[in-house]
Amino acid sequence: MKESLNINQLENEAIYIFREVAAQFEKPVLLFSGGKDSITLVRLAQKAFFPAKIPFPLMHIDTGHNFPETIEFRDRLVRELGVELIVRNVQDSIDQGKVKEETGRYSSRNMLQTTTLLDAIEEFKFDACIGGARRDEEKARAKERIFSVRDDFGQWDEKNQRPELFDMLNGQIDLGQNVRVFPISNWTELDVWTYIEKENLEIPSIYFAHKREIFMRDGLIWSHSDYVFQDEDEEVEERMVRFRTVGDMSCTAAVDSHATTISEVVAEIRESSISERGARIDDKRSEAAMEKRKQQGYF
């Protein structure tokens, strides 16, 4: 009962934040990856504006190396909701010479998303980008405010942030600035899963245990895919796994699992001693990897 009450309080806070975004900004957008956090955001936005439709578009910055199951789910959800989906592709940024494709053992397109995202914000003149970041994910995210201002270069200054007193959210920005908004900032991974279970939300199948061709590297489980660099001596095997996060395939590892229902996933997370982003290799490049990306304009 106590946990349910907590979820209700978190839901009410997030709905309040969504309504403040609609009231204070002219061109908001919801950043949508097809993952559990952005799916939760969509449900919260539905509740915030019901019975009207969600009053802003969804936008996906597509690396081109996403899990097929996630893209299929994304497109189906958008059709069912009848909302606008904007897709901007990292491949276009590569073709235009704005970013350079990485090569080698730990190559990934995940770092390249920043340029594509900033170009899309400029293209559509978005003044508020709503995202699913949570403070429990990674230490750089814990420094964020709910309304987190970016300068006219899309950059974030962690030392120059506004205080947020009680529930007073300040959306005033200067010309050229925009804001990242994090309605589920105070949620944990377990809160998100508890909400998904409570709301009976559909999620991509890769969140549940399934047989998959994988290979082992650095103690982590990687998908056997054309998108993931693989050494000749890294042997492919079939294994029962699931994914705790659905980022770019080239930097997102799986975990051993037999959890095939949401309740089993929740039980598994409760017992886990490894953080959700422990399976994201892009966060391991340096101690300050995420913070540097955020300073450059990353979500």
Side-chain angles (χ1 to χ4, degrees), residues 5-266:
L5 178 63
N6 181 52
I7 288 296
N8 289 338
Q9 291 171 336
L10 291 171
E11 179 187 63
N12 289 338
E13 177 189 52
I15 287 173
Y16 166 76
I17 292 166
F18 268 111
R19 290 172 177 167
E20 283 296 299
V21 170
Q24 296 192 44
F25 297 97
E26 293 183 6
K27 289 204 69 176
V29 64
L30 194 157
L31 302 178
F32 188 78
S33 67
K36 65 184 184 308
D37 296 323
S38 55
I39 292 167
T40 296
L41 286 180
V42 168
R43 172 52 61 90
L44 291 165
Q46 284 181 288
K47 288 194 172 188
F49 305 108
F50 183 83
K53 287 187 177 181
I54 298 172
F56 38 73
L58 277 54
M59 181 166 72
H60 183 206
I61 304 301
D62 189 345
T63 66
H65 291 174
N66 293 287
F67 292 93
E69 298 96 324
T70 306
I71 299 301
E72 290 168 10
F73 174 86
R74 177 201 73 185
D75 293 342
R76 186 172 71 255
L77 180 65
V78 167
R79 285 195 304 270
E80 291 173 356
L81 295 177
V83 296
E84 179 187 0
L85 173 68
I86 298 168
V87 178
R88 287 297 177 266
N89 299 289
V90 169
Q91 183 63 55
D92 292 336
S93 298
I94 295 170
D95 294 343
Q96 294 162 10
K98 293 180 177 180
V99 293
K100 186 176 180 181
E101 182 94 71
E102 295 181 357
T103 59
R105 189 177 176 88
Y106 298 107
S107 57
S108 171
R109 288 188 172 184
N110 216 42
M111 298 283 286
L112 310 184
Q113 292 179 90
T114 299
T115 296
T116 313
L117 171 61
L118 295 179
D119 284 350
I121 291 172
E122 175 62 26
E123 177 186 353
F124 293 97
K125 306 300 180 187
F126 291 128
D127 53 3
C129 298
I130 305 162
R134 308 185 320 268
R135 287 178 177 148
D136 72 321
E137 287 182 277
E138 200 273 344
K139 59 188 179 182
R141 296 206 192 275
K143 299 178 181 180
E144 287 276 23
R145 300 294 190 264
I146 291 173
F147 277 15
S148 184
V149 178
R150 301 299 197 267
D151 65 18
D152 51 359
F153 294 103
Q155 297 175 331
W156 174 69
D157 182 0
E158 77 283 5
K159 296 177 181 178
N160 186 26
Q161 297 190 84
R162 301 166 174 171
E164 287 182 344
L165 307 174
F166 305 102
D167 59 356
M168 297 171 61
L169 300 174
N170 181 1
Q172 292 186 346
I173 54 175
D174 295 329
L175 184 65
Q177 291 182 330
N178 62 79
V179 170
R180 303 290 196 277
V181 180
F182 304 114
I184 60 172
S185 181
N186 291 325
W187 299 43
T188 65
E189 180 189 12
L190 187 57
D191 289 330
V192 169
W193 277 107
T194 301
Y195 191 73
I196 288 170
E197 184 175 34
K198 172 178 173 286
E199 294 290 312
N200 194 29
L201 298 180
E202 185 183 358
I203 54 176
S205 59
I206 60 170
Y207 278 117
F208 300 111
H210 58 285
K211 286 186 178 180
R212 197 176 196 92
E213 287 192 333
I214 60 93
F215 66 95
M216 299 298 298
R217 176 188 296 157
D218 301 332
L220 297 175
I221 304 169
W222 298 99
S223 290
H224 173 57
S225 165
D226 292 340
Y227 300 148
V228 184
F229 180 90
Q230 187 172 341
D231 287 325
E232 291 182 3
D233 60 349
E234 292 175 326
E235 296 183 1
V236 176
E237 60 179 292
E238 191 174 73
R239 197 153 164 175
M240 198 75 158
V241 300
R242 73 176 190 85
F243 293 85
R244 289 177 69 180
T245 179
V246 295
D248 188 287
M249 289 183 72
S250 60
C251 63
T252 306
V255 294
D256 286 312
S257 177
H258 291 282
T260 57
T261 67
I262 290 177
S263 60
E264 289 174 348
V265 169
V266 169

